[in-house]
Amino acid sequence: MSHKIFYRIANNNDIDLIPLFLKEFFPIIGWNKKFIEWEYFNNPFGKAKVFIALSNYKLVGLSTSIPIKMKMNNKIFDGYRNQHALTNINYRGQGIFSKLLFNNNNYMDKYTELNITFPNEQSVPFFIKTNWSQVSLIPLLEKKITKIEKKSLKYNLITEFKNIHQDLWEKNLNNRLDILCSKNYLNWRYVFNPKSKYTIFEIKNQFRPIGFIILKEYLSKNKTKIGHICQLVCPKNYILDAIKFANNFFYNLSINNFSIWTINDANILIKYSNFKKVSLKNRIFLYRSKKKINKKKWNLSMSYSDVY
């Protein structure tokens, strides 16, 4: 059955419609108005851009992009992370998804410099056809926890990020491209996040802060507990020690496996820390920009995704 569809940018009056719509697709996450307000309006980088499709005032599709700033060397790029591109199952086959993505892409091309997304396997072809560029498959590594491992550095639990943590992120960026980890962004993303709970540790070497590590306990669909290293910032020569700390942290929570995303450090973790590559079929990290970016320039981590 054909329906007359209207397209526009969402406004404040549409906020009550969005949680109910998202719940159709993500019933376990339990989207509510509090989540929407935190992610769409409280982001220190700006407000979300949401393109919606309506049929007789009913929300039947949306494309949501969360603002981000990315930095490489001294250059800051403004853009968005496309988070959702969804169509009500009863309204599919009418080109709604394509139209929403077209509107979203046009806005990005006109007003932004660099955008990222992690589409699912059904959506990937649409993004590729509309000139999103592929970086890589999701570089997921997983490690089996068998014992406590001996570490050397100190790890102190912290409950907020301060200027020093922003400085440490900048110091360890090493000419790579990453989401701008300002103090305000880090606190918004991890401390004030109403959807997920993170455990944050400052890494110290002889009482001197050298970085931080952000860990999360996750319950999979089959009710198995998994550990995530959502973000790790430290000098390269201390990465393996931080991995040992994460191993021990999750071991004490009776977790048997933990994972990390990394492009540049994958070989080190596989060779020296017994990580294994995990295949995620058709799960691809994409970006949209006039600028071509080398795969190895991306400092990709789980922190890029709203899921982790």
Side-chain angles (χ1 to χ4, degrees):
M1 180 178 178
S2 180
H3 302 266
K4 181 67 174 178
I5 309 297
F6 297 91
Y7 299 88
R8 61 175 171 81
I9 296 176
N11 57 45
N12 291 342
N13 296 327
D14 300 314
I15 296 306
D16 290 332
L17 302 175
I18 294 175
L20 292 174
F21 180 78
L22 292 177
K23 195 172 182 180
E24 296 176 23
F25 299 89
F26 311 106
I28 296 176
I29 295 177
W31 282 84
N32 57 41
K33 192 172 181 179
K34 183 179 180 180
F35 290 176
I36 296 293
E37 289 176 345
W38 166 76
E39 189 151 42
Y40 287 26
F41 302 111
N42 297 336
N43 186 335
F45 293 152
K47 294 182 180 181
K49 187 63 61 176
V50 185
F51 294 91
I52 59 175
L54 299 165
S55 176
N56 294 326
Y57 302 103
K58 177 182 178 180
L59 182 61
V60 297
L62 89 168
S63 176
T64 301
S65 293
I66 306 300
I68 58 171
K69 290 183 182 292
M70 305 201 73
K71 185 171 184 178
M72 184 168 64
N73 298 325
N74 294 319
K75 172 67 174 175
I76 295 176
F77 304 92
D78 291 316
Y80 289 87
R81 170 172 52 81
N82 185 271
Q83 177 172 298
H84 295 132
L86 304 168
T87 305
N88 182 292
I89 190 171
N90 296 318
Y91 288 79
R92 290 176 182 169
Q94 300 183 55
I96 295 174
F97 182 95
S98 297
K99 179 65 175 178
L100 287 169
L101 190 58
F102 175 82
N103 292 340
N104 179 79
N105 291 347
N106 276 356
Y107 180 88
M108 288 182 171
D109 292 343
K110 188 173 181 179
Y111 296 107
T112 71
E113 299 172 277
L114 179 59
N115 307 277
I116 62 174
T117 190
F118 302 90
N120 61 33
E121 53 271 21
Q122 287 81 26
S123 302
V124 166
F126 292 91
F127 282 87
I128 296 294
K129 287 179 182 177
T130 55
N131 298 320
W132 284 77
S133 300
Q134 178 177 335
V135 177
S136 68
L137 296 175
I138 301 302
L140 176 64
L141 302 178
E142 191 171 280
K143 176 179 169 69
K144 185 175 179 61
I145 301 171
T146 58
K147 62 180 180 179
I148 291 289
E149 298 180 346
K150 187 177 180 180
K151 61 179 180 61
S152 301
L153 303 174
K154 299 293 183 182
Y155 297 82
N156 294 341
L157 184 68
I158 61 174
T159 56
E160 69 172 320
F161 290 95
K162 300 181 179 179
N163 289 330
I164 188 173
H165 303 113
Q166 178 177 334
D167 294 341
L168 288 169
W169 168 81
E170 184 118 29
K171 182 178 180 181
N172 286 284
L173 191 55
N174 297 324
N175 298 321
R176 289 180 291 179
L177 178 65
D178 201 354
I179 295 175
L180 176 60
C181 287
S182 67
K183 176 184 69 174
N184 290 338
Y185 172 79
L186 288 169
N187 282 314
W188 170 80
R189 174 71 173 82
Y190 298 112
V191 178
F192 304 132
N193 189 326
K195 294 196 301 179
S196 301
K197 181 181 178 181
Y198 302 91
T199 308
I200 309 160
F201 293 91
E202 184 178 78
I203 306 172
K204 289 189 173 183
N205 183 23
Q206 298 181 349
F207 306 103
R208 180 175 61 88
I210 61 169
F212 56 86
I213 186 170
I214 301 166
L215 305 175
K216 179 183 175 183
E217 180 182 342
Y218 177 75
L219 194 64
S220 67
K221 291 181 180 180
N222 62 3
K223 305 302 181 182
T224 300
K225 291 196 295 185
I226 300 171
H228 291 321
I229 299 179
C230 297
Q231 192 164 358
L232 172 58
V233 172
C234 70
K236 200 174 188 71
N237 54 314
Y238 293 118
I239 288 175
L240 293 179
D241 195 87
I243 295 298
K244 292 176 182 178
F245 171 77
N247 177 94
N248 299 348
F249 175 84
F250 292 127
Y251 179 92
N252 290 327
L253 293 176
S254 300
I255 292 175
N256 297 320
N257 295 277
F258 68 104
S259 60
I260 187 173
W261 292 6
T262 180
I263 293 175
N264 294 286
D265 301 317
N267 291 337
I268 294 174
L269 298 185
I270 291 170
K271 184 175 181 179
Y272 296 106
S273 196
N274 296 320
F275 274 87
K276 296 186 183 301
K277 289 184 178 179
V278 179
S279 175
L280 291 176
K281 186 178 180 181
N282 294 330
R283 295 311 300 265
I284 299 175
F285 174 43
L286 305 173
Y287 75 96
R288 187 177 190 88
S289 176
K290 294 178 182 178
K291 178 182 177 66
K292 293 298 180 183
I293 302 169
N294 186 290
K295 171 184 173 180
K296 293 185 177 180
K297 284 293 184 180
W298 291 90
N299 195 33
L300 181 60
S301 67
M302 289 179 171
S303 66
Y304 279 40
S305 172
D306 66 305
V307 176
Y308 296 96

